[in-house]
Coordinates of all heavy atoms in Angstrom, one line a residue:
Chain A
I319 N 0.5 19.6 -5.3 CA -0.7 20.3 -5.4 C -1.0 21.0 -4.2 O -0.7 20.6 -3.1 CB -1.9 19.3 -5.7 CG1 -1.5 18.4 -7.0 CG2 -3.2 20.0 -5.8 CD1 -2.1 17.1 -7.1
Q321 N -3.8 23.8 -1.9 CA -5.2 24.3 -1.7 C -5.2 25.4 -0.7 O -5.1 25.1 0.5 CB -6.0 23.1 -1.3 CG -7.5 23.5 -1.2 CD -8.3 22.2 -0.9 OE1 -7.9 21.3 -0.2 NE2 -9.6 22.1 -1.4
K325 N -10.5 27.3 -0.5 CA -10.5 27.5 -2.0 C -10.2 26.1 -2.6 O -10.1 25.0 -2.0 CB -9.4 28.5 -2.4 CG -9.7 29.9 -1.9 CD -8.8 30.9 -2.5 CE -9.2 32.2 -2.0 NZ -8.3 33.3 -2.7
G326 N -10.1 26.1 -4.0 CA -9.9 24.9 -4.7 C -8.5 24.4 -4.9 O -7.6 25.0 -4.3
L327 N -8.3 23.4 -5.6 CA -7.0 22.8 -5.9 C -6.2 23.5 -7.0 O -6.8 23.9 -7.9 CB -7.2 21.3 -6.3 CG -8.0 20.4 -5.3 CD1 -8.2 19.0 -5.9 CD2 -7.2 20.2 -4.0
E328 N -4.9 23.6 -6.7 CA -4.0 24.2 -7.7 C -2.8 23.3 -8.0 O -2.1 23.0 -7.0 CB -3.6 25.6 -7.2 CG -2.6 26.3 -8.3 CD -2.1 27.6 -7.9 OE1 -2.0 27.9 -6.7 OE2 -1.9 28.4 -8.8
Y329 N -2.6 22.9 -9.2 CA -1.5 22.1 -9.6 C -0.2 22.9 -9.5 O -0.2 24.0 -10.0 CB -1.7 21.6 -11.0 CG -0.6 20.9 -11.7 CD1 -0.2 19.6 -11.3 CD2 0.1 21.6 -12.7 CE1 0.9 19.1 -11.9 CE2 1.2 21.0 -13.3 CZ 1.6 19.8 -12.9 OH 2.7 19.2 -13.6
F332 N 5.2 18.4 -11.3 CA 5.6 17.0 -11.1 C 7.1 16.8 -11.5 O 7.7 17.6 -12.1 CB 4.7 16.0 -11.9 CG 4.8 16.0 -13.4 CD1 6.0 15.6 -14.0 CD2 3.8 16.5 -14.2 CE1 6.1 15.5 -15.4 CE2 3.9 16.4 -15.6 CZ 5.1 16.0 -16.2
T339 N 11.0 17.4 -15.2 CA 10.0 18.2 -14.4 C 9.0 18.9 -15.3 O 9.3 19.1 -16.5 CB 10.7 19.2 -13.5 OG1 11.5 20.1 -14.4 CG2 11.6 18.6 -12.5
N340 N 7.9 19.3 -14.6 CA 6.8 20.0 -15.3 C 6.3 21.0 -14.2 O 6.0 20.5 -13.1 CB 5.8 19.2 -15.8 CG 4.6 20.0 -16.3 OD1 3.6 20.2 -15.5 ND2 4.6 20.4 -17.6
Y341 N 6.1 22.3 -14.6 CA 5.6 23.2 -13.6 C 4.4 24.0 -14.1 O 4.3 24.3 -15.3 CB 6.7 24.2 -13.2 CG 8.0 23.6 -12.6 CD1 9.2 23.9 -13.1 CD2 7.9 22.6 -11.6 CE1 10.4 23.4 -12.5 CE2 9.0 22.1 -11.0 CZ 10.3 22.4 -11.5 OH 11.4 21.9 -10.9
N342 N 3.5 24.3 -13.2 CA 2.5 25.2 -13.6 C 3.0 26.5 -14.1 O 3.8 27.1 -13.4 CB 1.6 25.5 -12.3 CG 0.3 26.3 -12.6 OD1 0.3 27.1 -13.5 ND2 -0.8 26.0 -11.9
P343 N 2.6 27.0 -15.3 CA 3.2 28.2 -15.8 C 3.1 29.4 -14.9 O 4.0 30.3 -14.8 CB 2.4 28.4 -17.1 CG 2.0 27.1 -17.5 CD 1.7 26.4 -16.2
Y376 N -0.2 19.4 -0.8 CA -0.3 17.9 -0.9 C 0.8 17.4 -1.9 O 1.0 18.0 -2.9 CB -1.6 17.6 -1.4 CG -2.9 17.9 -0.6 CD1 -3.6 19.0 -0.9 CD2 -3.2 17.1 0.5 CE1 -4.8 19.3 -0.1 CE2 -4.4 17.4 1.3 CZ -5.1 18.5 0.9 OH -6.2 18.8 1.6
L381 N -0.8 9.0 -12.0 CA -1.1 7.7 -12.7 C -1.5 8.0 -14.2 O -2.1 9.1 -14.5 CB -2.2 6.9 -12.0 CG -1.9 6.4 -10.6 CD1 -3.1 5.8 -9.9 CD2 -0.8 5.4 -10.7
P382 N -1.4 7.1 -15.1 CA -0.7 5.8 -14.9 C 0.8 6.0 -15.0 O 1.3 7.0 -15.1 CB -1.2 5.0 -16.2 CG -1.4 6.1 -17.2 CD -1.9 7.3 -16.5
E385 N 2.8 8.7 -17.1 CA 1.9 9.7 -17.6 C 1.2 10.5 -16.4 O 1.5 10.1 -15.3 CB 0.7 9.0 -18.4 CG 1.3 8.3 -19.7 CD 0.0 7.7 -20.5 OE1 -1.0 8.4 -20.6 OE2 0.2 6.6 -20.9
V386 N 0.5 11.5 -16.8 CA -0.2 12.2 -15.7 C -1.7 12.4 -16.2 O -2.0 13.4 -16.8 CB 0.5 13.7 -15.5 CG1 -0.2 14.4 -14.4 CG2 2.0 13.5 -15.2
N387 N -2.4 11.4 -15.8 CA -3.9 11.5 -16.1 C -4.7 11.8 -14.8 O -5.8 12.3 -14.9 CB -4.4 10.2 -16.7 CG -3.9 10.1 -18.1 OD1 -3.5 11.1 -18.8 ND2 -3.9 8.8 -18.6
C388 N -4.2 11.4 -13.7 CA -4.9 11.6 -12.5 C -3.8 11.4 -11.3 O -2.7 11.0 -11.5 CB -6.0 10.6 -12.2 SG -5.5 8.9 -12.2
F389 N -4.3 11.6 -10.1 CA -3.4 11.6 -8.9 C -4.0 10.6 -7.9 O -5.1 10.8 -7.4 CB -3.3 13.0 -8.3 CG -2.7 14.0 -9.2 CD1 -3.5 14.9 -9.8 CD2 -1.4 14.0 -9.5 CE1 -3.0 15.9 -10.6 CE2 -0.8 14.9 -10.4 CZ -1.6 15.9 -10.9
D390 N -3.2 9.7 -7.5 CA -3.6 8.7 -6.5 C -2.4 7.8 -6.0 O -1.7 7.3 -6.9 CB -4.7 7.7 -7.1 CG -5.1 6.7 -6.0 OD1 -5.7 7.1 -5.0 OD2 -5.0 5.5 -6.3
W392 N -2.9 10.4 -2.4 CA -2.4 11.7 -2.0 C -1.9 11.6 -0.5 O -2.3 10.7 0.2 CB -3.6 12.7 -1.9 CG -4.2 13.0 -3.2 CD1 -4.8 12.1 -4.1 CD2 -4.5 14.3 -3.8 NE1 -5.3 12.8 -5.2 CE2 -5.1 14.1 -5.0 CE3 -4.2 15.6 -3.4 CZ2 -5.5 15.1 -5.9 CZ3 -4.6 16.6 -4.3 CH2 -5.2 16.4 -5.5
G393 N -1.0 12.5 -0.2 CA -0.6 12.6 1.2 C -1.7 13.3 2.0 O -2.7 13.8 1.5
Q394 N -1.5 13.3 3.3 CA -2.6 13.9 4.2 C -2.6 15.5 4.1 O -3.5 16.1 4.5 CB -2.4 13.6 5.6 CG -1.1 14.1 6.3 CD -0.9 13.6 7.7 OE1 -1.4 12.5 8.0 NE2 -0.3 14.4 8.5
G395 N -1.5 16.0 3.5 CA -1.4 17.5 3.4 C -0.7 18.2 4.6 O -0.8 17.7 5.7
Chain B
Y174 N -7.9 12.6 -20.8 CA -8.8 12.0 -19.8 C -9.2 12.9 -18.7 O -8.4 13.8 -18.3 CB -8.1 10.7 -19.2 CG -8.0 9.6 -20.2 CD1 -6.7 9.1 -20.6 CD2 -9.1 8.9 -20.7 CE1 -6.6 8.1 -21.4 CE2 -9.0 7.8 -21.5 CZ -7.7 7.4 -21.9 OH -7.5 6.3 -22.7
V175 N -10.4 12.7 -18.1 CA -10.9 13.4 -17.0 C -10.9 12.5 -15.8 O -11.2 11.4 -15.8 CB -12.3 13.9 -17.2 CG1 -12.9 14.6 -16.0 CG2 -12.4 14.8 -18.4
A176 N -10.5 13.1 -14.6 CA -10.6 12.5 -13.3 C -11.4 13.3 -12.4 O -11.6 14.5 -12.5 CB -9.2 12.3 -12.7
Y178 N -12.3 13.8 -8.1 CA -11.9 13.6 -6.8 C -12.9 14.0 -5.8 O -13.7 14.9 -6.0 CB -10.6 14.4 -6.5 CG -9.5 14.2 -7.5 CD1 -9.4 14.9 -8.7 CD2 -8.5 13.2 -7.3 CE1 -8.5 14.7 -9.7 CE2 -7.6 13.0 -8.3 CZ -7.5 13.7 -9.4 OH -6.6 13.5 -10.4
Q180 N -13.4 15.2 -1.8 CA -12.7 15.7 -0.6 C -13.7 15.8 0.5 O -14.4 16.8 0.5 CB -12.0 17.0 -0.9 CG -11.1 17.5 0.2 CD -10.3 18.7 -0.1 OE1 -10.8 19.6 -0.9 NE2 -9.2 18.9 0.4
T184 N -10.2 16.5 5.0 CA -9.3 15.4 4.6 C -8.7 15.7 3.2 O -9.1 16.7 2.6 CB -10.0 14.1 4.4 OG1 -11.0 14.1 3.4 CG2 -10.8 13.7 5.8
A185 N -7.8 14.9 2.8 CA -7.2 15.1 1.5 C -8.1 14.5 0.4 O -8.9 13.7 0.6 CB -5.8 14.3 1.4
P186 N -8.0 15.1 -0.8 CA -8.8 14.6 -1.9 C -8.5 13.1 -2.2 O -7.3 12.6 -1.9 CB -8.3 15.4 -3.1 CG -7.8 16.7 -2.6 CD -7.2 16.2 -1.3
K187 N -9.5 12.4 -2.7 CA -9.3 11.0 -3.0 C -9.8 10.8 -4.4 O -10.9 11.3 -4.8 CB -10.2 10.1 -2.0 CG -10.2 8.6 -2.3 CD -10.9 7.8 -1.2 CE -12.4 7.9 -1.5 NZ -13.1 6.9 -0.6
L188 N -9.1 9.9 -5.2 CA -9.5 9.6 -6.6 C -10.8 8.9 -6.6 O -10.9 7.8 -5.9 CB -8.4 8.9 -7.3 CG -8.6 8.5 -8.7 CD1 -8.6 9.8 -9.5 CD2 -7.5 7.6 -9.2
I190 N -12.9 8.8 -9.8 CA -13.1 8.4 -11.2 C -11.8 8.8 -12.0 O -11.3 9.9 -11.8 CB -14.3 9.0 -11.9 CG1 -15.6 8.7 -11.2 CG2 -14.3 8.7 -13.4 CD1 -16.1 7.3 -11.4
Y191 N -11.3 7.8 -12.8 CA -10.2 8.2 -13.7 C -10.5 7.7 -15.1 O -11.4 6.9 -15.3 CB -8.9 7.6 -13.2 CG -8.9 6.0 -13.2 CD1 -8.2 5.4 -14.3 CD2 -9.5 5.2 -12.3 CE1 -8.1 4.1 -14.4 CE2 -9.5 3.9 -12.3 CZ -8.8 3.2 -13.4 OH -8.7 1.9 -13.5
D192 N -9.7 8.2 -16.1 CA -9.9 7.9 -17.5 C -11.4 8.1 -17.9 O -12.0 7.2 -18.6 CB -9.5 6.4 -17.8 CG -8.0 6.3 -17.7 OD1 -7.3 7.3 -17.5 OD2 -7.5 5.2 -18.0
P197 N -11.6 3.4 -9.4 CA -10.5 2.6 -8.7 C -11.1 1.6 -7.8 O -12.3 1.6 -7.4 CB -9.8 3.7 -7.9 CG -10.2 5.0 -8.4 CD -11.6 4.8 -9.0
Y229 N -14.1 17.5 -7.2 CA -13.3 18.3 -8.2 C -13.0 17.4 -9.4 O -12.8 16.2 -9.3 CB -11.9 18.6 -7.5 CG -11.9 19.6 -6.4 CD1 -12.0 19.2 -5.1 CD2 -11.8 21.0 -6.7 CE1 -12.1 20.1 -4.1 CE2 -11.8 21.9 -5.6 CZ -12.0 21.5 -4.3 OH -12.0 22.4 -3.3
G231 N -10.6 17.2 -12.9 CA -9.2 17.5 -13.3 C -8.8 16.9 -14.6 O -9.3 15.8 -14.9
A232 N -8.0 17.5 -15.3 CA -7.5 17.0 -16.6 C -6.2 17.6 -17.0 O -5.9 18.7 -16.5 CB -8.6 17.2 -17.7
W233 N -5.5 16.9 -17.9 CA -4.3 17.5 -18.5 C -4.7 18.5 -19.5 O -5.6 18.3 -20.2 CB -3.4 16.4 -19.0 CG -2.1 16.9 -19.6 CD1 -1.9 17.1 -21.0 CD2 -0.9 17.3 -19.0 NE1 -0.6 17.6 -21.1 CE2 0.0 17.7 -20.0 CE3 -0.5 17.3 -17.6 CZ2 1.3 18.1 -19.6 CZ3 0.7 17.7 -17.3 CH2 1.6 18.1 -18.3
L237 N -1.5 24.3 -22.2 CA -0.9 24.9 -21.0 C 0.2 24.0 -20.6 O 1.2 24.4 -20.0 CB -1.9 24.9 -19.9 CG -1.6 25.9 -18.7 CD1 -1.6 27.3 -19.2 CD2 -2.7 25.7 -17.6
F238 N 0.2 22.7 -21.0 CA 1.2 21.7 -20.6 C 1.2 21.6 -19.1 O 2.3 21.7 -18.5 CB 2.5 22.0 -21.2 CG 3.4 20.7 -21.4 CD1 2.9 19.8 -22.4 CD2 4.5 20.5 -20.7 CE1 3.7 18.6 -22.6 CE2 5.2 19.3 -20.9 CZ 4.8 18.4 -21.8
A239 N 0.1 21.5 -18.5 CA -0.1 21.4 -17.1 C -1.4 20.8 -16.8 O -2.3 20.7 -17.6 CB 0.1 22.7 -16.4
V240 N -1.6 20.3 -15.5 CA -2.9 19.8 -15.0 C -3.8 21.0 -14.6 O -3.3 22.0 -14.1 CB -2.7 18.9 -13.8 CG1 -4.0 18.5 -13.2 CG2 -1.9 17.6 -14.3
V241 N -5.0 20.9 -15.0 CA -6.0 21.9 -14.6 C -7.1 21.3 -13.8 O -7.5 20.1 -14.0 CB -6.5 22.7 -15.8 CG1 -5.5 23.6 -16.4 CG2 -7.2 21.8 -16.8
F242 N -7.6 22.0 -12.9 CA -8.7 21.5 -12.0 C -9.9 22.5 -12.1 O -9.8 23.6 -12.5 CB -8.3 21.5 -10.5 CG -7.3 20.5 -10.2 CD1 -6.0 20.8 -9.9 CD2 -7.7 19.1 -10.0 CE1 -5.0 19.9 -9.5 CE2 -6.7 18.1 -9.6 CZ -5.4 18.5 -9.4
G243 N -11.0 21.9 -11.8 CA -12.2 22.7 -11.7 C -12.2 23.4 -10.3 O -11.5 23.0 -9.4
G244 N -13.1 24.3 -10.1 CA -13.1 25.1 -8.9 C -13.8 24.4 -7.7 O -13.7 24.8 -6.6

Side-chain angles (χ1 to χ4, degrees):
Chain A
I319 298 153
Q321 183 174 34
K325 296 188 178 181
L327 303 172
E328 181 179 28
Y329 167 76
F332 70 67
T339 55
N340 171 268
Y341 302 130
N342 186 328
Y376 297 101
L381 291 175
E385 298 182 43
V386 183
N387 288 341
C388 61
F389 301 106
D390 181 60
W392 298 55
Q394 66 183 29
Chain B
Y174 288 116
V175 177
Y178 305 89
Q180 186 175 33
T184 68
K187 180 176 78 171
L188 181 65
I190 298 288
Y191 68 98
D192 289 0
Y229 294 90
W233 180 259
L237 201 63
F238 208 66
V240 173
V241 291
F242 289 105

